Amino acid sequence: MNELIDTWMKNVKTYPPAEIFFEKYGKEAKAEERLKETCEEVYRFCFPENVKNPLGDLGASYRELEVAYIMGFDGMKPEYIKKVKDKFLEDAKFAVTALEALFKKDQILQQYYAPWKVKFADINSAVYDMTKDYV
């Protein structure tokens, strides 16, 4: 689909404590527990009713955009493409904000996030480039 978005989505879906503390023991176990508690606010599976799930909603809207892209925008109604695009961008903006707030809470998380951090403006422009000829 788009390398920037695909890579970002792959990184977003990865649970940080599992990635950071893979095959580490001892002192790191205490830090891992602390980070698990911190990451729970964004990476948990179940959110209370009427509370937006940043990564769950993002994954669903990404999948819808991806399927539309794979099927080809040529034969689709511009209204549908716009709807799918706008939903993904709305969820991406919310997720970027939630992730930035989360990763600011701990130095280890900041170091983990820094190499793959993507600004919403970059995502927005990538989606625009993908859909500009069809909307």
Side-chain angles (χ1 to χ4, degrees), residues 1-29:
M1 190 165 93
N2 176 287
E3 189 176 339
L4 172 86
I5 295 172
D6 290 342
T7 304
W8 180 71
M9 285 299 298
K10 179 182 160 282
N11 288 328
V12 163
K13 291 178 184 179
T14 304
Y15 185 58
E19 187 75 12
I20 295 168
F21 296 103
F22 180 69
E23 294 186 352
K24 292 186 179 175
Y25 306 99
K27 286 185 178 179
E28 283 98 2

Side-chain angles (χ1 to χ4, degrees), residues 98-115:
L99 290 169
E100 285 181 2
L102 169 71
F103 291 134
K104 282 181 186 175
K105 293 181 179 183
D106 192 281
Q107 187 175 359
I108 295 171
L109 288 173
Q110 287 175 359
Q111 291 170 350
Y112 169 76
Y113 183 52

Side-chain angles (χ1 to χ4, degrees), residues 2-134:
N2 176 287
E3 189 176 339
L4 172 86
I5 295 172
D6 290 342
T7 304
W8 180 71
M9 285 299 298
K10 179 182 160 282
N11 288 328
V12 163
K13 291 178 184 179
T14 304
Y15 185 58
E19 187 75 12
I20 295 168
F21 296 103
F22 180 69
E23 294 186 352
K24 292 186 179 175
Y25 306 99
K27 286 185 178 179
E28 283 98 2
K30 289 181 183 177
E32 182 177 11
E33 286 304 313
R34 185 183 75 242
L35 291 186
K36 280 181 182 178
E37 288 178 25
T38 303
C39 290
E40 189 68 14
E41 70 187 54
V42 173
Y43 281 89
R44 65 182 168 198
F45 288 109
C46 298
F47 280 76
E49 263 188 65
N50 301 322
V51 175
K52 190 165 174 64
N53 179 340
L55 302 182
D57 294 349
L58 175 66
S61 62
Y62 170 75
R63 184 67 185 144
E64 196 166 339
L65 179 66
E66 183 181 42
V67 167
Y69 178 81
I70 290 169
M71 289 176 60
F73 292 140
D74 289 331
M76 290 185 189
K77 293 182 179 180
E79 300 85 26
Y80 177 74
I81 297 169
K82 183 176 177 358
K83 180 185 119 187
V84 170
K85 174 191 78 142
D86 291 347
K87 178 67 174 137
F88 173 72
L89 290 174
E90 174 190 324
D91 291 339
K93 186 173 192 171
F94 186 76
V96 165
T97 304
L99 290 169
E100 285 181 2
L102 169 71
F103 291 134
K104 282 181 186 175
K105 293 181 179 183
D106 192 281
Q107 187 175 359
I108 295 171
L109 288 173
Q110 287 175 359
Q111 291 170 350
Y112 169 76
Y113 183 52
W116 58 270
K117 180 179 180 177
V118 175
K119 295 178 183 171
F120 174 71
D122 297 335
I123 295 169
N124 192 16
S125 99
V127 171
Y128 172 78
D129 289 344
M130 286 170 41
T131 60
K132 68 182 173 191
D133 296 332
Y134 306 100

